[in-house]
Amino acid sequence: NERTTLIICYYMKKIYIVLSQSYSILAKTIKLFTKDKYSHISISFNEDCTNMYSIGRKYKYCPFIGKYMNESIYKGLYSVSPRAEILIYELTISDEKYKNIKRLLDKYGISCKGYNFLGLVLAIFNKKINRKKYYCSEFIYKILSDDSVKLFEKTKKIVKPMDFEKIENLKLVYEGKIIDYKLKKYQL
């Protein structure tokens, strides 16, 4: 029984669901309309959030041009918003789902044609537009609701970052300011 537990643990991996709220005009506007605490979502494969994946702004100061990108709480928009709020959840998943998430990030991310700004605006009015572009929660939802992953049910027409808190077995890692999380990680 102890050996079985060891083998099962060996084949389990961790991913991190990272919700954030920066002080950008776009983030504040999204928060105003959704009434949610967080307006952005990313996936990370490491707890320190040095490599997070999502659809985000291509240029630090221009929210209208976006792309699939590798984000970090140490670079880009987060480096100029150290007091921005983040919420980090840990999720233990099978090795197979872990590999599928990485594969799907590449598959959909590389083929992504940019930021779905129009889709984001329409989402405010509960309308959906199908394009080869995504906004952050739409992209992460596509990955986590895929049949090979199934961490999220394909029931929603419009999805917001806060909807991801409904995933079963999430473990809270941190909630607070980015600067405090960086300091906490640095002290360890």
Side-chain angles (χ1 to χ4, degrees):
N1 198 2
E2 208 173 290
R3 184 167 183 237
T4 305
T5 304
L6 258 169
I7 291 170
I8 290 170
C9 288
Y10 178 75
Y11 290 105
M12 302 301 278
K13 303 270 189 181
K14 293 179 185 199
I15 64 167
Y16 299 87
I17 308 292
V18 183
L19 303 175
S20 59
Q21 179 63 40
S22 72
Y23 296 109
S24 73
I25 293 169
L26 181 60
K28 288 178 184 178
T29 304
I30 293 168
K31 185 176 181 174
L32 177 73
F33 281 100
T34 63
K35 310 282 189 262
D36 288 339
K37 188 171 181 180
Y38 299 99
S39 62
H40 185 66
I41 185 166
S42 308
I43 288 181
S44 182
F45 296 101
N46 53 353
E47 188 179 342
D48 66 3
C49 300
T50 51
N51 289 303
M52 303 184 302
Y53 302 90
S54 188
I55 302 294
R57 59 181 65 204
K58 187 174 182 176
Y59 305 106
K60 200 183 306 185
Y61 299 105
C62 180
F64 305 109
I65 301 170
K67 66 174 189 154
Y68 169 65
M69 60 190 306
N70 182 320
E71 302 172 313
S72 170
I73 62 170
Y74 299 93
K75 298 184 298 190
L77 182 64
Y78 296 112
S79 67
V80 294
S81 301
R83 299 220 175 279
E85 298 281 330
I86 58 171
L87 173 63
I88 303 170
Y89 285 113
E90 179 184 274
L91 183 63
T92 302
I93 57 174
S94 70
D95 185 55
E96 181 183 357
K97 285 185 181 187
Y98 184 89
K99 287 176 184 171
N100 283 332
I101 289 170
K102 284 191 161 201
R103 178 183 58 78
L104 291 166
L105 282 169
D106 285 340
K107 176 182 174 182
Y108 294 121
I110 291 167
S111 66
C112 178
K113 302 298 180 202
Y115 189 71
N116 189 4
F117 191 75
L118 177 60
L120 180 63
V121 171
L122 290 173
I124 292 167
F125 304 103
N126 206 29
K127 303 281 184 211
K128 181 157 176 60
I129 185 170
N130 291 319
R131 308 169 78 187
K132 288 193 177 200
K133 296 180 176 186
Y134 305 97
Y135 53 88
C136 64
S137 54
E138 191 177 42
F139 178 70
I140 302 299
Y141 177 74
K142 184 164 184 72
I143 303 298
L144 297 185
S145 66
D146 186 87
D147 289 338
S148 67
V149 178
K150 286 192 178 181
L151 292 177
F152 211 87
E153 288 299 317
K154 287 185 182 180
T155 56
K156 296 195 78 64
K157 184 171 150 184
I158 305 297
V159 66
K160 304 181 295 183
M162 297 301 290
D163 292 332
F164 290 85
E165 287 189 306
K166 297 174 187 150
I167 295 173
E168 290 183 26
N169 302 317
L170 286 178
K171 177 184 160 195
L172 178 65
V173 172
Y174 177 80
E175 184 171 21
K177 296 191 182 319
I178 287 176
I179 187 99
D180 295 334
Y181 186 67
K182 289 178 186 177
L183 289 171
K184 177 183 161 193
K185 296 309 278 178
Y186 182 72
Q187 290 171 349
L188 295 177

